[in-house]
Amino acid sequence: QEILKKIPGVKPQAGYDLYGEQVPATIKDTNGLKKGEGVIASTFDQSIYIAEIDGCLKVVKNKVSIFPVAVIHGDVGLDTGNINFNGTVHVTGSVKPGFKVQADSDVIVDEEVEEAFITAGGNITVKSGVLGKETGKLVAGGDVSAKFLQHTRIEANGNVIVEDSIINCDVLCYKSIKVTGKNAKIIGGRVTALYEVRSTVIGTQNEITTNITVGRNFIVEKELADKRAEIKLVRDRIDEITTNIKMQFGEEIFLKPKEYIAILPPPKKKACLVLLNDLGTANASLRKLAEEAKAIEERLKFDREPFIIATGRVYPGVVLNIKKSVRKIERTVDNAKFFEDSMDKTVKFVAAV
């Protein structure tokens, strides 16, 4: 898109006044606009400057720049429609129910998000809270931060940082979940993090079911399960081929295959070689799949042990899952750090602070 056009200078010429006297020309500096960030010269016309990136135009001290930030003044709603931008999106208002905001980089919302759908390649920051009513969803390639989360779904490759509360939400993150305020609480729903969940209070006196999980990477676990299913199919195929060979040619063929094949008549020799080739291919495939499964298993290892911290109180009705160990809280527990005992694979706790 054309942003600026360079206007060639005009050589000043002397003029004359009413009496025929020559008046010397004066040069006036108009202090015109200059090229800034995100603006480049056109390859077709060097006097024309175009936007190098998508973004918002900003003039600072006569310098025109394009910044990769789309600023939505006010709400995302009927007046704006859905937003899709390959940079950062900054919404100065709220995101109304049913609307979508997609950004390759970050999304910043100055007010609340209501039953909306936000997807960001980077971080999502909601300066007020998220009121999902169980239909909205936020998906971030980085962190998600908000004042509070209610009845919504969150998925973050980074951390989830909430100031006040997480209530009846489905939260999945691949680092840590921290509710940081003085009266921080997690009530109801499912909250899952790879390393850590931290709050002041978890659950309520009403014993609302609240599921907290750490130490599980469900995406990698599914990937490993799928790989193991592939391995089983190949092993079944190997067993099928092996049984077929034994039935047609006997077990002796596996003891001295070259000598055995040499004495077979041509039709049987061809059939035998086909089966042995299939067996070799299947075994090679099995070795490759086993290596891939081992690499996936390495990704399930933790560089630090996962834990759950409640510096205030954990109420009955809370279910704590650490790795594959489970503990249902039967009576209130105060100021506790929960962890998995590596020996007996149970969830235990010590004083948090």
Side-chain angles (χ1 to χ4, degrees):
Q1 183 178 349
E2 184 176 321
I3 303 297
L4 295 169
K5 185 174 177 62
K6 187 176 182 180
I7 306 300
V10 178
K11 185 178 179 179
Q13 294 182 345
Y16 296 88
D17 61 16
L18 291 173
Y19 303 102
E21 299 290 332
Q22 190 178 59
V23 178
T26 58
I27 300 174
K28 184 179 181 181
D29 187 0
T30 58
N31 198 21
L33 297 172
K34 298 178 181 179
K35 176 181 78 70
E37 295 179 34
V39 178
I40 59 173
S42 168
T43 55
F44 301 103
D45 186 343
Q46 292 294 304
S47 69
I48 293 176
Y49 293 87
I50 60 175
E52 184 179 19
I53 57 174
D54 290 337
C56 288
L57 186 148
K58 196 170 185 179
V59 181
V60 180
K61 294 182 179 179
N62 286 342
K63 186 177 284 188
V64 179
S65 299
I66 303 293
F67 295 101
V69 178
V71 180
I72 310 300
H73 295 284
D75 300 335
V76 171
L78 291 173
D79 291 339
T80 63
N82 296 324
I83 305 298
N84 192 335
F85 183 64
N86 61 358
T88 292
V89 174
H90 182 183
V91 181
T92 64
S94 61
V95 183
K96 295 300 183 182
F99 286 90
K100 298 178 181 179
V101 177
Q102 292 180 281
D104 288 352
S105 189
D106 300 337
V107 174
I108 303 163
V109 182
D110 287 351
E111 297 181 13
E112 64 276 347
V113 173
E114 310 172 56
E115 300 179 72
F117 300 85
I118 298 178
T119 304
N123 301 326
I124 297 176
T125 302
V126 183
K127 295 182 181 178
S128 184
V130 181
L131 296 164
K133 298 183 181 178
E134 299 178 359
T135 58
K137 186 173 184 180
L138 278 61
V139 178
D143 299 340
V144 172
S145 59
K147 187 172 183 181
F148 63 85
L149 303 174
Q150 290 185 15
H151 301 279
T152 192
R153 294 171 294 163
I154 305 291
E155 186 174 328
N157 279 334
N159 299 299
V160 174
I161 309 297
V162 179
E163 180 182 339
D164 182 30
S165 59
I166 300 175
I167 299 176
N168 292 325
C169 293
D170 189 344
V171 181
L172 173 63
C173 93
Y174 292 98
K175 286 189 179 177
S176 298
I177 297 172
K178 298 179 182 179
V179 190
T180 60
K182 182 179 179 182
N183 299 312
K185 52 187 173 288
I186 300 173
I187 301 171
R190 292 192 302 263
V191 173
T192 303
L194 194 59
Y195 293 111
E196 171 189 352
V197 172
R198 183 186 294 262
S199 181
T200 302
V201 173
I202 301 176
T204 68
Q205 291 178 328
N206 298 329
E207 301 188 12
I208 294 173
T209 301
T210 305
N211 281 281
I212 310 293
T213 300
V214 294
R216 298 289 300 273
N217 190 327
F218 294 107
I219 290 178
V220 178
E221 286 180 19
K222 183 179 184 306
E223 189 178 342
L224 181 59
D226 290 344
K227 190 63 64 177
R228 285 173 175 168
E230 289 183 61
I231 289 172
K232 184 181 182 304
L233 288 174
V234 174
R235 281 180 173 156
D236 290 344
R237 176 61 178 155
I238 289 171
D239 291 343
E240 180 186 347
I241 297 169
T242 303
T243 301
N244 198 357
I245 292 172
K246 288 179 180 179
M247 289 179 64
Q248 291 189 50
F249 305 101
E251 294 189 11
E252 296 81 3
I253 190 171
F254 293 107
L255 300 175
K256 296 180 179 181
K258 289 184 179 180
E259 294 177 13
Y260 190 93
I261 293 169
I263 63 173
L264 289 175
K268 282 198 170 185
K269 182 185 290 187
K270 182 178 179 180
C272 184
L273 289 172
V274 168
L275 287 171
L276 289 173
N277 181 67
D278 289 346
L279 183 61
T281 301
N283 278 316
S285 178
L286 181 62
R287 288 191 295 271
K288 183 174 182 294
L289 289 171
E291 290 173 2
E292 292 172 353
K294 187 176 180 180
I296 295 171
E297 287 172 355
E298 287 296 316
R299 289 162 54 200
L300 283 173
K301 293 181 179 179
F302 293 90
D303 54 14
R304 57 189 174 94
E305 286 301 306
F307 58 85
I308 299 166
I309 286 182
T311 55
R313 176 164 292 182
V314 182
Y315 287 97
V318 172
V319 179
L320 304 178
N321 306 273
I322 301 180
K323 295 184 178 179
K324 294 187 177 180
S325 300
V326 181
R327 178 168 183 156
K328 185 174 181 180
I329 303 300
E330 303 291 348
R331 61 178 184 271
T332 56
V333 179
D334 294 334
N335 183 36
K337 175 181 179 180
F338 297 88
F339 61 95
E340 183 192 58
D341 187 295
S342 59
M343 298 295 291
D344 59 15
K345 302 298 180 185
T346 59
V347 175
K348 297 183 178 180
F349 66 89
V350 295
V353 291

